Amino acid sequence: MIINQTSNEFCEEFPHNFIPTPGYWIECSRQKITTDTIWDESESDHDNEIQEGNEDTPDGTDQENGHDLRRRDRSEDGGSFPLEIALPGSLPGCNDLYEDDEDDDNSLPRKKTTIEEQWEKNQGFELTSVEQETYEKYFYGTEHWNYFTSDEDLGPIILSIKQETLNNRDQFRILVRAISYTVHGLIPASCVFADRYNREEVVRSLGNEVNICPALTLGQLPDTPEELLKLDQVFIKSELKVGVIYVKEGQYSEEEILDNNDNSMLFEEFLQVLGEKVRLRGFDRYKGLYSIYTNWRNIEIMFHVSTLLPYESHDPQKLQRKRHIGNDIVCVVFLEADNTSFSPACIKSHFLHTFILVRTSPRIKRKPTRYEVSVVTRDEVGAYKPYLWEQSLFDKGPMFREWLLTKIVNGERASYSAPKFARMQERTRSQMLEDIVANLQNHAETGQIPKPYRR
């Protein structure tokens, strides 16, 4: 479920540790998050008082109030929760009571979440594919042909085409690149008004269908596949920079948050989930002495951790830190608080489009540490996997790390469709397509070696 800020239909947990902000939508988890979800009440002072007050009632009954104390399985919250002492009605959304006997063979095992099933099956989660991966996946390294033209209305166009047999049917796989769009698909040979064995006729027929003028011409340069691959790789980032900010109880402003210098034990533990702490020797592109880095699925991720970025005490606005985090697209917010919400507008930035909030309680006493995840995104960015309604509560471990890194990378890729980034990509794409088509045209007319491409 996705909750939009302008909608009148809210789930019970809305706004999921966020301050509702115009221009952003909040992803809903559909889960009832109670206070004890990440706070182990069996170790709290409150429970100790209850136990002391009921030492003389061996049946576990509060004789004064008539409450029956039982152990309760909180598995409905989406995690493998321990059985704990609880007062009926004191924990909202949890009414099931169980006997004290933890070895009861009749108790039903907790049903696995969708995320847990995916993890057991694949040991990972699905990365969002991007259209720029199509050429490498279906064309590069296989027999295919690249045609080009400079259309009077659409500008430079490149058509990649190959013939395939799928399910005993002849098909033409095509990839059309223009400045503002890419089209990829399969066309049954029976649907083409041309001799399927005459490639030139097939291409001419396809061009006529969409009124391309002048007609498409076969490109003869042997390095065209490599140049098309380079064109795609400009938009498939294998190096990401992701912001990480540390928020304590009662902190709401940008200045308060970016003024944090000391990491708590819980924040240090969380940073170990993201990656390893590296000294920035050999990482000349990055500022500061240390940072958090990981190479995950051949994607290098450097985390701009607010507490590790350069700090200047005389700068109340913390411009050095803001400059780095404000230029990222995705920011992870570590919220170590029980009664504080985060506003995505508190970090002033034209680039930040997605905030992934990871909350834990500063009073937590359970191991492994449990995290509650929330996501807020700019309106122009669509939903992306893995979804919170599948699971939003996690224990520290390999599954949580894999899930979180997948969410971060998919959040970055989903943000590329936002108008700001789409316009930037369109300018770069236009320039590179014009160069490739111009060189193909020049070679077709004169046979000359292409001039260097602009990069």
Side-chain angles (χ1 to χ4, degrees), residues 131 133-140 142-147 157-166 170-178 181-189 191-192 196 199 201-210 212 216 228 232 429:
E131 65 180 28
E133 296 173 327
T134 303
Y135 183 76
E136 182 177 15
K137 182 176 181 180
Y138 293 105
F139 293 90
Y140 186 76
T142 66
E143 186 179 36
H144 70 283
W145 296 268
N146 296 303
Y147 287 76
I157 293 176
I158 296 179
L159 165 70
S160 300
I161 185 171
K162 64 183 291 191
Q163 193 164 358
E164 299 180 1
T165 301
L166 298 174
D170 289 338
Q171 312 260 3
F172 290 104
R173 185 181 294 277
I174 66 167
L175 176 65
V176 181
R177 306 166 187 260
Y181 66 86
T182 297
V183 176
H184 168 246
L186 288 168
I187 301 176
C191 296
V192 178
R196 71 181 67 180
R199 191 178 66 253
E201 284 189 18
V202 170
V203 172
R204 186 160 48 249
S205 174
L206 293 175
N208 291 337
E209 285 291 321
V210 291
I212 290 179
L216 290 157
L228 291 176
D232 290 337
R429 179 187 180 90

Side-chain angles (χ1 to χ4, degrees), residues 27 88 101 194 240 266 302 321 325 367 432:
E27 184 178 353
D101 186 5
L240 300 183
L266 286 172
M302 184 67 77
R321 293 180 170 182
I325 294 173
K367 293 293 182 180
M432 295 182 71

